Amino acid sequence: MNYRHAFHAGGFADVIKHIVLVRILLYLQEKPAALRVIDTHAGAGLYDLTSDEARRGGEWLTGIARLMQARFSKEALPLVLPYLDIVRAFSPPGELKAYPGSPLIARALLRPQDRLTACELEPAARKHLIDALRRDAQARVVDLDGWTALPAFVPPKERRGMVLIDPPFEAKDEFERLAQGFSEAFAKWPTGSYLMWYPAKSRRVTDDLARHVASETGKSKPAGKCLRLEFSVAPREADSGLVSTGLLIVNPPWTLTGELKTILPELEKPLGQGGAGRFRLETPKP
Ligand code: SAM
């Protein structure tokens, strides 16, 4: 396993994913009943933006650093602010020195009755995450393959909550694993919310995944809902790195589409390279 999220922490893909994560969790907390967050590929938890990896990757400079400087309309600001406030809480006032990964973002939003289960397979990242969540009775870091944990941990005993599936896409079969893992988990827990990340590189492969997820959600009774979001920061070119990030959201809050239509146009300028920021939001067809 070579993947190190420290190179990418706080980049545009993290920003989009984490804004959506925060919006889903805030919605789920409108009801007092306890909820569970399951993070199948959790990462190291907290990333030092002054580290060698973050400096060499440099992605946060065109991601979270740009967002911190951006001006938002009075409609979008209250929707983005909870995310920005969580990120700010990890740095001294007025500075940006660290970036929280998904487990720490989720942790920041847990109420006393809520729980987090985070899987991380890479030993150094897992140790870092355990240290970041030390003595935390509400959060558990598990040394389990996220693909094994995914069907095994659902439905959680709380029966409410969400699963974040955010694999590194290092292995060739990760799109198939994601499709298969989602199907197994959804069959056991059709009322959970699922947030799945993918690199939007190949149109054919990502369309296949979206169709698969839409057809699975359509089979449940009552049919689940599905949203697909892609955000590009530059035109796709054969030899470029990741310029387009994708998310599939199953059983999204009914408020999410409207919120994203308010937020996303205001991210195109700060995150896009030379005015090339674009988003697409759709309901995928089976
Ligand atoms: N979810 C994190 C966030 O948003 O901050 C980023 C996660 S990163 C994209 C993917 C992580 O999954 C890496 O830290 C990697 O070590 C870990 N990983 C890779 N394969 C795994 C597996 N089969 N089970 C659990 N973790 C795995």
Side-chain angles (χ1 to χ4, degrees):
M1 215 166 20
N2 293 317
Y3 183 87
R4 301 273 297 281
H5 196 66
F7 285 95
H8 311 288
F12 80 98
D14 264 7
V15 166
I16 301 290
K17 170 180 66 190
H18 294 155
I19 286 176
V20 175
L21 174 66
V22 169
R23 294 314 315 161
I24 296 174
L25 285 175
L26 287 174
Y27 174 83
L28 287 174
Q29 292 181 338
E30 285 178 10
K31 284 192 186 150
L35 60 92
R36 166 89 47 167
V37 181
I38 300 168
D39 193 341
T40 60
H41 296 73
L46 189 62
Y47 302 93
D48 176 359
L49 296 178
T50 66
S51 70
D52 189 43
E53 289 108 322
R55 251 196 284 243
R56 279 195 284 149
E59 294 185 21
W60 66 277
L61 291 168
T62 50
I64 186 62
R66 293 250 186 97
L67 215 69
M68 286 292 185
Q69 305 297 327
R71 283 176 174 273
F72 291 100
S73 67
K74 67 178 192 322
E75 290 76 24
L77 185 62
L79 300 174
V80 184
L81 203 54
Y83 160 71
L84 293 177
D85 283 345
I86 292 171
V87 176
R88 277 196 194 104
F90 289 92
S91 292
E95 295 184 62
L96 187 55
K97 299 278 190 210
Y99 186 80
S102 52
L104 292 202
I105 292 176
R107 177 64 189 96
L109 289 171
L110 296 190
R111 304 159 303 174
Q113 64 270 42
D114 302 331
R115 295 289 179 271
L116 166 70
T117 305
C119 306
E120 173 53 55
L121 211 48
E122 200 278 310
R126 187 172 59 250
K127 181 177 181 314
H128 207 85
L129 181 58
I130 289 170
D131 288 345
L133 292 169
R134 196 167 288 286
R135 283 191 284 276
D136 192 322
Q138 287 178 253
R140 191 161 69 103
V141 180
V142 290
D143 176 8
L144 249 193
D145 187 316
W147 297 123
T148 309
L150 175 57
F153 286 1
V154 297
K157 73 174 189 314
E158 294 81 4
R159 298 266 157 181
R160 296 185 67 237
M162 67 169 296
V163 184
L164 170 62
I165 315 174
D166 185 18
F169 286 92
E170 267 186 324
K172 276 214 166 67
D173 64 349
E174 227 138 27
F175 274 95
E176 287 84 37
R177 283 186 139 190
L178 177 55
Q180 172 72 22
F182 167 72
S183 296
E184 284 176 43
F186 185 75
K188 288 179 70 186
W189 192 28
T191 53
S193 293
Y194 296 80
L195 175 59
M196 293 171 266
W197 183 83
Y198 61 86
K201 286 186 175 163
S202 151
R203 174 64 47 215
R204 184 185 56 78
V205 172
T206 57
D207 281 354
D208 283 352
L209 175 69
R211 260 196 301 273
H212 173 83
V213 169
S215 99
E216 291 290 302
T217 50
K219 276 188 224 157
S220 77
K221 287 197 177 35
K225 297 227 162 40
C226 182
L227 255 186
R228 179 185 188 180
L229 159 63
E230 290 194 0
F231 191 100
S232 306
V233 294
R236 226 173 275 183
E237 279 164 24
D239 57 349
S240 61
L242 185 75
V243 293
S244 193
T245 184
L247 291 172
L248 283 163
I249 309 145
V250 169
N251 293 330
W254 69 270
T255 43
L256 191 66
T257 300
E259 290 181 353
L260 292 175
K261 283 184 177 165
T262 303
I263 299 170
L264 293 169
E266 299 191 28
L267 302 185
E268 287 182 340
K269 199 160 160 220
L271 296 181
Q273 295 166 14
R278 295 284 177 275
F279 78 91
R280 249 181 72 196
L281 187 63
E282 63 182 38
T283 301
K285 302 269 175 302

